[in-house]
Amino acid sequence: MTMKTIGLIGGMSWESTLPYYRLINEQVRDRLGGLHSATLVLYSVDFAAIEQLQQAGDWATAGARLADAARAVTAAGADFLVLCTNTMHKVAPAIAAAVNVPLLHIADPTAAAIRAAGLTRVGLLGTRFTMEQDFYVERLRGHGLDVLLPDAGQRETVHSVIYDELCRGRSEPASRAAYRAIIADLACRGAEAVILGCTEISLLIGPNDSPLPLFDTTQVHARAAAEFALAG
């Protein structure tokens, strides 16, 4: 069969780009068998530079840099793009405008998986940018989802654990306990499921940590990428 070449834009952080590579290749192997693996191109950015732009609110420059990455993987033969991060979908329009191949938006297969499970009211965990800005929440709402957010103090905890620990390869028991408490609070407020809306969160939290179904965007996005690559 003909397999599309996947263009991965990763490194934000590299800790969560690693599972993308593994999950995509596992999907292709399981579908095709034998020694099959995915055809892909990876452009991994220096996250320190991107994080500084995030903190400065300079999304235009961040978008331009990731647009350059998109052009590079397209020139290397990518048939479609996968941005291996939730937060930087803030600049998805700039990336999509830079190339003539599709961008598989992380929120779309996530919302589709939630709707397929018969759920509509979901809690969202992610960086402060993902939780508090419209680019992500409104995309989910466009799929008919009712999105619940942690309170302000909880959002700060979720955000700081991502940047101070998970992106640095650390997974602390106290942080796991804090996330569990936040998920329990979302459940009490009526959430039917929780979106792990940062690609690092699944490095800390799994199904045993939650009374609710978890939708891991890394896993969902990687699976969707493999399916899209095999569809043509």
Side-chain angles (χ1 to χ4, degrees):
M1 70 179 299
T2 301
M3 191 188 320
K4 298 185 186 75
T5 299
I6 306 169
L8 298 179
I9 303 175
M12 298 165 281
S13 67
W14 67 263
E15 294 282 351
S16 64
T17 302
L18 283 171
Y20 266 93
Y21 185 77
R22 175 178 55 80
L23 290 164
I24 289 170
N25 279 292
E26 286 175 349
Q27 286 285 118
V28 173
R29 177 202 62 198
D30 292 347
R31 276 280 290 278
L32 302 183
L35 295 176
H36 283 289
S37 57
T39 303
L40 58 82
V41 180
L42 169 62
Y43 190 113
S44 188
V45 304
D46 177 6
F47 187 40
I50 298 297
E51 190 271 342
Q52 289 171 4
L53 294 170
Q54 290 176 343
Q55 296 302 325
D58 190 355
W59 298 100
T61 300
R65 292 191 181 180
L66 294 188
D68 286 341
R71 294 186 189 97
V73 294
T74 302
D79 295 307
F80 68 101
L81 303 179
V82 174
L83 183 60
C84 305
T85 164
N86 287 273
T87 297
M88 293 313 296
H89 277 75
K90 164 86 172 176
V91 299
I95 296 169
V99 295
N100 59 0
V101 300
L103 170 67
L104 183 60
H105 196 292
I106 196 169
D108 295 340
T110 299
I114 293 165
R115 295 302 303 264
L119 307 173
T120 57
R121 190 171 174 84
V122 294
L124 174 63
L125 304 180
T127 67
R128 182 172 64 248
F129 312 111
T130 299
M131 292 186 288
E132 296 181 355
Q133 298 186 18
D134 288 342
F135 72 93
Y136 199 88
V137 172
E138 290 304 317
R139 186 96 177 193
L140 295 172
R141 287 174 176 157
H143 288 277
L145 298 182
D146 181 12
V147 182
L148 299 178
L149 300 177
D151 67 31
Q154 292 170 335
R155 292 198 300 272
E156 185 55 40
T157 295
V158 173
H159 179 89
S160 63
V161 167
I162 291 167
Y163 281 89
D164 297 339
E165 298 176 20
L166 302 180
C167 289
R168 301 170 189 265
R170 293 168 48 206
S171 179
E172 302 292 342
S175 297
R176 182 174 292 108
Y179 270 55
R180 284 173 171 171
I182 292 168
I183 290 170
D185 184 58
L186 288 168
C188 289
R189 291 169 53 199
E192 300 170 318
V194 173
I195 297 173
L196 304 185
C198 173
T199 52
E200 282 82 18
I201 295 178
S202 58
L203 303 174
L204 179 69
I205 291 294
N208 292 336
D209 298 300
S210 174
L212 301 174
L214 299 178
F215 288 83
D216 173 10
T217 53
T218 304
Q219 189 172 76
V220 172
H221 202 202
R223 183 171 63 244
E227 290 173 352
F228 194 76
L230 294 170

